[in-house]
Amino acid sequence: MIQAIKGFRDVLPGDIELWQEIESEAVKVFENFGFKEIRVPVLEKTALFSRSIGENTDIVEKEMYTFEDRGGDMLTMRPEATASVVRSYIQHNMQADNPIRKLYTIGPMFRRERPQKGRYRQFYQINAEVFGIASPYIDAQIMVMLSHLLDRLGVTELSAHINSLGCPCCRPSFQNAIKEIAEKSGENLCDDCKRRKDKNPLRILDCKSVHCQEILKDAPVLTDFLCDECRDHFDIVKSSLESQGVKYTIDHKLVRGLDYYTKTAFELKTNMLGAQNSVAGGGRYDGLVKSLDGPDVPAIGFAIGFDRLVDVIAASRKPYIRTPEVFIMAPGNIPVSAVFSWICDLARDGIWADTDYSGKSLKSMMKRADKDGAKYVLIAGESEFEKETAILKNMATGEQEEVSFSGLVTRVIKIIRNL
Ligand code: ATP
Ligand code: MG
């Protein structure tokens, strides 16, 4: 038997309902905040990701699904969506009439990580990006939007962590300070951090190794190095979140795994999912559009880990799962064409009517109806068929009513809808 690839999984009915609920809430909330949907391909040129995410990041060094296609192009299954949305913004010249765009996209991402709970090789993200607004109020606004979405979904177990990563004018001096500390402790760093200290010293801050954490225990914090502009920006983000009642913690170690972030960075964490504690992450990336040969427009965005958000919600409640409104029972010795047309007509009117066309006995069909959770059964047994009537029975109350074949659909709808 051929099975799905390791780290790739099916989302089955019974679980998918929660995914659908989250997705439809996200669409409603995002559109209320002025966002429009964009769909971008899952396959892009490799250079798009290596240039935007950064050569010395875990994603680009170790996690991408990259292959040469038959024409010799190097292609990559997208590990994240921001790079593709930025590419699309540039390619379609979206800044031409108005540089401001608020875009969201929902779909699968691919990273070759070690599969475990909350960590898959194909996983899903809900992304939102804003282009063309440099104001710190938009940073706060998208965090308010995220927090509002989570409120609507009944999620209370997440905490917001924020930091400022500075900008190209203030970050280098901080980077140097970290590099100096790292250089002094030389051999004691983990192997990853030995490489990081030259290429990407900030990443040492979020290294999981206890040795590296010990070395950086008394390191200075990035927010002490911010230039005036970055500091004012961060202050407004914080006070705006407070004014909207969005709680946060300042996390000096939060640096995010991608190179392109500037100023505001944030993450939503939970302690419900073990080691996979990050449910959403985002931040400002003012230099990215320009660095991919686009116009110099500021931008900010975030990604929600869809799989992990589902797990957080599923731990506290079940999704609403739809069951048939009515199960139609007609034993085998009577014509089934009438049942067929009732089912089609009822479905067109928004009523899920079902049958199994099995021609089995009424008793076994009743069992089926019960198992499927049908709210009503419509019984058209032999004697009813002769009289051209059927019996509609409410499974919960046992109440029943005889309905005539002529006008049956209209009558059934009236009873089911309680009109
Ligand atoms: P982590 O630290 O858990 O690896 P990350 O920093 O790599 O997360 P991002 O690139 O910021 O993650 O992606 C945003 C969100 O996507 C994460 O907060 C997480 O919820 C989700 N995510 C990332 N990688 C995976 C994965 N392999 N499987 C499931 N969800 C993931
Ligand atoms: Mg990761």
Side-chain angles (χ1 to χ4, degrees):
M1 185 194 33
I2 299 174
Q3 301 216 341
I5 313 165
K6 196 173 160 199
F8 289 68
R9 60 187 187 138
D10 306 308
V11 182
L12 303 177
D15 294 323
I16 199 71
E17 287 80 359
L18 199 48
W19 293 70
Q20 291 175 322
E21 195 189 316
I22 293 172
E23 181 162 341
S24 82
E25 282 302 322
V27 168
K28 269 186 251 159
V29 169
F30 290 1
E31 301 215 344
N32 286 345
F33 277 83
F35 284 72
K36 299 268 187 212
E37 184 173 3
I38 179 172
R39 297 202 186 182
V40 286
V42 293
L43 204 56
E44 297 271 5
K45 291 185 181 153
T46 303
L48 175 65
F49 302 113
S50 46
R51 275 177 60 189
S52 59
I53 299 171
E55 295 280 0
N56 305 115
T57 55
D58 284 353
I59 294 181
V60 174
E61 280 180 347
K62 313 189 250 200
E63 298 172 358
M64 294 200 309
Y65 281 97
T66 294
F67 61 93
E68 189 179 326
D69 87 346
R70 287 161 198 267
D73 293 324
M74 289 313 287
L75 304 179
T76 294
M77 304 284 289
R78 63 174 183 198
E80 57 111 41
T82 303
S84 306
V85 177
V86 171
R87 183 214 26 82
S88 179
Y89 180 87
I90 299 170
Q91 182 174 336
H92 300 285
N93 214 2
M94 290 191 202
Q95 86 289 355
D97 56 330
N98 179 1
I100 298 178
R101 296 286 171 138
K102 299 189 189 121
L103 303 169
Y104 70 90
T105 191
I106 303 175
M109 308 297 151
F110 304 85
R111 296 184 194 174
R112 200 174 185 291
E113 303 192 74
R114 195 168 68 77
Q116 53 198 289
K117 173 125 187 82
R119 194 174 289 289
Y120 309 99
R121 291 179 170 181
Q122 175 174 336
F123 61 100
Y124 293 78
Q125 283 186 344
I126 304 175
N127 290 262
E129 319 285 347
V130 179
F131 295 96
I133 302 182
S135 163
Y137 285 99
I138 199 73
D139 306 31
Q141 194 176 311
I142 65 168
M143 283 188 259
V144 169
M145 174 170 92
L146 195 48
S147 123
H148 177 57
L149 171 63
L150 296 166
D151 281 349
R152 293 203 29 157
L153 291 167
V155 178
T156 49
E157 305 78 2
L158 290 178
S159 55
H161 295 241
I162 66 171
N163 194 14
S164 173
L165 300 183
C167 67
C169 96
C170 56
R171 189 162 40 190
S173 51
F174 176 70
Q175 247 160 341
N176 285 337
I178 296 296
K179 201 171 160 181
E180 251 169 51
I181 296 177
E183 248 148 27
K184 269 193 215 134
S185 37
E187 283 310 300
N188 295 329
L189 289 170
C190 75
D191 289 342
D192 277 339
C193 288
K194 278 182 198 147
R195 282 185 301 114
R196 286 175 182 144
K197 88 177 152 27
D198 298 315
K199 295 179 163 167
N200 198 348
L202 282 194
R203 295 305 313 278
I204 303 177
L205 287 173
D206 73 348
C207 177
K208 306 272 185 305
S209 144
V210 277
H211 293 298
C212 300
Q213 285 313 315
E214 182 61 24
I215 289 165
L216 289 180
K217 199 167 42 89
D218 303 315
V221 295
L222 215 163
T223 43
D224 288 342
F225 284 70
L226 296 180
C227 59
D228 290 346
E229 190 193 315
C230 288
R231 173 173 318 282
D232 292 348
H233 189 101
F234 197 41
D235 286 343
I236 293 179
V237 173
K238 289 183 288 184
S239 59
S240 312
L241 289 176
E242 280 153 30
S243 74
Q244 286 292 313
V246 176
K247 294 202 176 63
Y248 63 82
T249 321
I250 295 181
D251 181 347
H252 295 297
K253 296 258 157 70
L254 179 72
V255 293
R256 313 274 303 124
L258 294 72
D259 275 1
Y260 52 59
Y261 288 109
T262 51
K263 293 184 176 155
T264 316
F266 59 95
E267 221 163 289
L268 297 184
K269 296 189 183 184
T270 174
N271 44 27
M272 292 173 65
L273 303 178
Q276 275 50 258
N277 64 356
S278 164
V279 175
R284 184 165 272 289
Y285 50 93
D286 287 345
L288 182 62
V289 183
K290 184 150 186 261
S291 81
L292 288 173
D293 308 320
D296 190 5
V297 291
I300 181 165
F302 64 77
I304 303 173
F306 207 143
D307 309 65
R308 293 186 195 172
L309 181 56
V310 167
D311 286 346
V312 169
I313 297 174
S316 61
R317 68 177 168 95
K318 297 227 169 319
Y320 168 72
I321 295 179
R322 193 176 170 190
T323 55
E325 252 96 15
V326 50
F327 193 91
I328 304 180
M329 311 201 302
N333 50 352
I334 58 173
V336 84
S337 57
V339 174
F340 162 77
S341 69
W342 294 335
I343 287 181
C344 297
D345 289 347
L346 284 165
R348 280 194 201 96
D349 275 305
I351 300 256
W352 173 12
D354 224 335
T355 194
D356 60 7
Y357 294 117
S358 67
K360 286 187 185 147
S361 70
L362 285 179
K363 195 171 155 214
S364 83
M365 282 206 210
M366 187 59 107
K367 263 197 197 149
R368 180 79 268 149
D370 205 32
K371 236 182 166 167
D372 289 354
K375 290 162 204 120
Y376 288 82
V377 287
L378 185 71
I379 308 161
E382 208 167 354
S383 56
E384 288 86 10
F385 240 90
E386 271 160 27
K387 285 195 289 172
E388 303 225 320
T389 61
I391 292 165
L392 185 70
K393 180 175 171 187
N394 181 321
M395 296 288 269
T397 63
E399 266 174 85
Q400 53 183 59
E401 175 177 331
E402 198 167 281
V403 283
S404 157
F405 283 5
S406 70
L408 180 137
V409 167
T410 318
R411 185 69 201 137
V412 166
I413 293 174
K414 275 210 168 119
I415 297 172
I416 291 180
R417 296 244 167 91
N418 207 0
L419 299 174

